[in-house]
Amino acid sequence: MKRSAMLLTAFLCVGHANAQTMFSGDVVRILDGDTVEVLDAGKRTHRVRLANIDAPERRQAFGEVSRQTLATMAYRQQVEVLDQGGDQYGRRIGVLTVNGRNLNAAMVAKGMAWVYTRYNTDRTLPALEQQARTNQIGLWADKNPNPPWDFRRAW
């Protein structure tokens, strides 16, 4: 009996270690097209980088439009954040939803962000990006859009 209880405890701990967590709060600041600040019920602020996508930098073509697009969907909205961990800058990495709408996917579908292929784990995003490209939506209206990772490298 003791051995089976220990195995069950070990299994639950491993499962918990791999589980993603969820938190909610109000979006109080939009930093750019892929980063927001969320104020939770405990009055703690979390800087959240939207998972799987990379939006133009603010000084880049479409950077301000991308930020404004995210602001229209998220600013002063109650969001759910599927927290996928942190990054080296102290931000949470997450998927944001408002009323069940995935904002990460919406940014790609609106042509306001690239799929960040280096880190992407969402299999639905490449098709959304391809559709935006084909229809020349958002940044894909530009004849030669510069991915933000290339733009940052040139700084």
Side-chain angles (χ1 to χ4, degrees), residues 114-135:
W114 277 258
V115 176
Y116 206 171
T117 54
R118 182 175 176 187
Y119 301 106
N120 182 39
T121 59
D122 184 338
R123 294 181 198 181
T124 67
L125 294 181
L128 294 174
E129 181 180 295
Q130 186 55 52
Q131 186 173 10
R133 282 178 186 247
T134 300
N135 296 321

Side-chain angles (χ1 to χ4, degrees), residues 51-99:
N52 306 312
I53 72 171
D54 200 4
E57 298 295 329
R58 287 182 76 175
R59 296 179 300 216
Q60 188 177 357
F62 286 92
E64 187 56 31
V65 176
S66 177
R67 188 184 80 76
Q68 287 295 327
T69 300
L70 184 56
T72 299
M73 294 188 293
Y75 186 63
R76 297 197 181 266
Q77 298 293 314
Q78 175 79 21
V79 296
E80 296 286 328
V81 179
L82 178 58
D83 188 343
Q84 298 181 346
D87 68 9
Q88 68 268 30
Y89 305 107
R91 300 175 296 193
R92 304 311 305 157
I93 305 296
V95 176
L96 268 62
T97 57
V98 173
N99 298 322

Side-chain angles (χ1 to χ4, degrees), residues 5-61:
M6 286 179 14
L7 287 173
L8 178 60
T9 301
F11 174 77
L12 291 173
C13 288
V14 169
H16 179 69
N18 293 327
Q20 297 172 331
T21 60
M22 186 84 91
F23 68 90
S24 63
D26 295 321
V27 174
V28 295
R29 185 173 174 205
I30 309 291
L31 284 86
D32 58 29
D34 58 28
T35 308
V36 300
E37 286 186 354
V38 177
L39 182 66
D40 69 18
K43 303 298 181 198
R44 278 192 32 199
T45 302
H46 307 268
R47 188 164 288 188
V48 180
R49 170 83 160 66
L50 278 64
N52 306 312
I53 72 171
D54 200 4
E57 298 295 329
R58 287 182 76 175
R59 296 179 300 216
Q60 188 177 357

